[in-house]
Amino acid sequence: SLTIAKGGLHSEDNPRLFISNNRFLLRDADVGSMYPNGIRKRRLYPIHLGEKWLSVYSYVIEKRLNAKALFKQTKEGKYKAIDEAFKLALNGGSFGKTGESFNWQYDLFTMNRVTIGCQIDLLMLIESFMLNDIYIVSANTDGVLCYLDREKEDIYNQICKEWEVTVGNDTMGNLEYQDFDLFAQTSVNDYLAIKPDRKLKTKGDFVSDVELHKNRSRRIVALALQNYFKDNIPVERTIKNHKDIFDFCCAVRVNKGDDLYIRNIKTGKEYKKQRTVRYYISNSNTVLLKRMKPLNKKKPTFQLDIFGNIEDGTRQSQIEAGWNITVFNKFIEKDNYNINYDYYIDRTHRILDQIEKVEFNQIRL
């Protein structure tokens, strides 16, 4: 099934595994620069800014495409950086701002015309695949992944070319194709795909290299998943042999007014920590507690809680319930960090178990 939302469409995907073979081919088709191209071909612009906005926007599209082509030719990093900068300017700096009510480019009608128009375009492609009995594995915003009978490859190509002409994407916004040897997912936004050159495409739980501003917690889990699917390396081997302590670290940040404490479960002693804490799961005697303000309507009982504290209505929960932790806000080099590997192994296997519950030959096409 497909969900149609104001930001784009996506399929409702269950955990599963697909592997290409002599009969079936995994092929992904993404619309190149879908939203910028949707703006250009439909000649859309914030009504209060006029067509000058569209002229500048189209100029940036051309500059980005030129940088993208130069990077493919030369492999020079500067062109990749220019490409990414213009991509951000087009999607986040211009189109994205049409949906922000306090931005000077705000025009909700224009934003919806872009997203709805592009969704209809993509739905047309999906419908054509389905009418020709081409199995849709997943669809998300600007792309469709198919599990394709190799005998239907010519039909698939014909559908794609006719679609590009029909929706006006034959000169710009062409479909960009990528074949995969394997595709494993737990949801539409959590997957790992292996390309024929053995390079990986990952998203969500399977991503190991994230942007600096994003949460890098438990990177070891993604690394173990990648090694398992790519090289058939047991999860336990990856995790127990890994030496970089930062890849085992997690991070938590509480809201203003809430507090974090570490408690020694043997002595009962507590220490208040700052609102942001980095930690890893260990075989220590300490746990990490989050305490929140009492609810306005909750009356304190002033009875003793299980720790011997007076119950004053403060809400408390344990971060990583059932597991002990070591705070690691400051790097300290050690030969043995006393990591509890069972936690990371268990977390990785919980993801794998979701996928491997679906027998490959039980998937109906």
Side-chain angles (χ1 to χ4, degrees):
S1 63
L2 293 171
T3 294
I4 312 298
K6 66 178 182 179
L9 64 82
H10 65 83
S11 53
E12 299 291 340
D13 298 343
N14 295 317
R16 55 218 174 131
L17 172 69
F18 288 88
I19 301 173
S20 62
N21 52 41
N22 291 335
R23 182 182 173 189
F24 290 104
L25 174 69
L26 275 165
R27 179 163 293 168
D28 185 50
D30 286 338
V31 183
S33 301
M34 185 172 77
Y35 285 157
N37 183 59
I39 290 171
R40 179 199 63 82
K41 71 182 182 181
R42 292 185 172 90
R43 299 199 59 77
L44 303 176
Y45 49 86
I47 192 66
H48 61 288
L49 298 177
E51 291 196 33
K52 188 66 176 177
W53 183 93
L54 178 60
S55 298
V56 174
Y57 192 83
S58 299
Y59 173 76
V60 176
I61 292 175
E62 295 298 329
K63 297 289 285 185
R64 188 210 166 189
L65 291 176
N66 184 54
K68 192 173 183 179
L70 286 171
F71 175 70
K72 285 184 177 180
Q73 293 173 12
T74 66
K75 301 301 180 184
E76 291 187 33
K78 65 179 181 180
Y79 295 120
K80 180 66 174 177
I82 294 171
D83 173 24
E84 291 297 328
F86 282 137
K87 179 181 179 180
L88 184 61
L90 290 167
N91 289 316
S94 298
F95 162 68
K97 300 304 181 185
T98 62
E100 295 184 8
S101 58
F102 294 103
N103 190 271
W104 60 276
Q105 300 172 93
Y106 176 67
D107 185 341
L108 195 58
F109 183 58
T110 294
M111 188 202 76
N112 287 329
R113 289 174 73 188
V114 175
T115 57
I116 293 172
C118 289
Q119 286 182 78
I120 292 172
D121 287 350
L122 201 60
L123 285 169
M124 291 171 63
L125 180 62
I126 292 170
E127 181 185 42
S128 295
F129 286 149
M130 295 178 70
L131 290 174
N132 285 274
D133 294 323
I134 294 174
Y135 185 77
I136 307 295
V137 175
S138 186
N140 193 7
T141 308
D142 63 351
V144 184
L145 176 63
C146 295
Y147 197 54
L148 173 68
D149 191 318
R150 292 180 186 273
E151 293 182 354
K152 291 190 174 183
E153 193 169 356
D154 289 340
I155 296 173
Y156 176 94
N157 292 335
Q158 181 181 348
I159 290 170
C160 292
K161 293 300 180 185
E162 290 178 354
W163 176 85
E164 288 176 338
V165 173
T166 300
V167 301
N169 283 35
D170 49 325
T171 58
M172 190 179 138
N174 304 108
L175 291 170
E176 300 171 353
Y177 305 100
Q178 176 62 62
D179 291 349
F180 298 122
D181 289 341
L182 178 147
F183 181 82
Q185 69 174 159
T186 53
S187 75
V188 69
N189 288 316
D190 298 279
Y191 62 77
L192 174 147
I194 302 177
K195 302 176 185 179
D197 62 3
R198 307 305 291 166
K199 291 183 179 179
L200 300 178
K201 180 180 180 181
T202 57
K203 192 170 184 179
D205 289 338
F206 298 87
V207 174
S208 59
D209 296 320
V210 300
E211 297 173 354
L212 289 176
H213 67 281
K214 293 186 178 180
N215 193 333
R216 298 172 62 89
S217 292
R218 307 172 194 87
R219 183 172 182 263
I220 186 61
V221 173
L223 292 173
L225 289 167
Q226 292 174 14
N227 288 344
Y228 176 83
F229 283 111
K230 184 180 179 183
D231 299 314
N232 201 29
I233 297 174
V235 167
E236 292 78 5
R237 187 193 304 173
T238 296
I239 291 175
K240 289 184 177 180
N241 291 341
H242 198 72
K243 302 303 180 185
D244 190 340
I245 184 61
F246 288 110
D247 290 338
F248 292 90
C249 287
C250 316
V252 61
R253 177 180 175 83
V254 296
N255 296 325
K256 189 175 182 179
D258 299 336
D259 296 305
L260 287 171
Y261 287 84
I262 57 170
R263 169 187 284 273
N264 188 303
I265 57 177
K266 284 194 171 181
T267 65
K269 290 184 177 180
E270 291 185 354
Y271 302 93
K272 186 176 180 180
K273 306 300 292 184
Q274 59 265 55
R275 287 169 49 212
T276 301
V277 169
R278 181 173 64 194
Y279 62 93
Y280 62 90
I281 312 304
S282 68
N283 296 307
S284 67
N285 294 318
T286 55
V287 295
L288 184 60
L289 304 175
K290 175 183 177 181
R291 292 196 178 134
M292 299 161 282
K293 293 179 179 179
L295 295 171
N296 292 332
K297 295 182 180 180
K298 183 178 179 180
K299 294 182 179 180
T301 64
F302 297 107
Q303 297 177 346
L304 291 175
D305 64 16
I306 60 173
F307 298 112
N309 299 319
I310 297 296
E311 201 286 295
D312 62 357
T314 299
R315 295 169 290 153
Q316 177 174 282
S317 62
Q318 181 181 341
I319 305 296
E320 307 293 353
W323 301 92
N324 298 353
I325 65 95
T326 295
V327 172
F328 200 69
N329 282 341
K330 183 178 179 180
F331 174 73
I332 301 174
E333 188 171 1
K334 297 181 180 180
D335 292 330
N336 182 6
Y337 288 97
N338 200 20
I339 298 168
N340 189 335
Y341 294 113
D342 289 342
Y343 168 87
Y344 302 97
I345 292 170
D346 175 72
R347 195 174 184 95
T348 307
H349 275 296
R350 274 189 283 160
I351 296 173
L352 282 178
D353 289 346
Q354 293 180 64
I355 298 169
E356 295 181 339
K357 280 181 181 178
V358 181
E359 292 291 336
F360 177 69
N361 58 12
Q362 291 180 355
I363 297 173
R364 294 184 179 180
L365 303 178

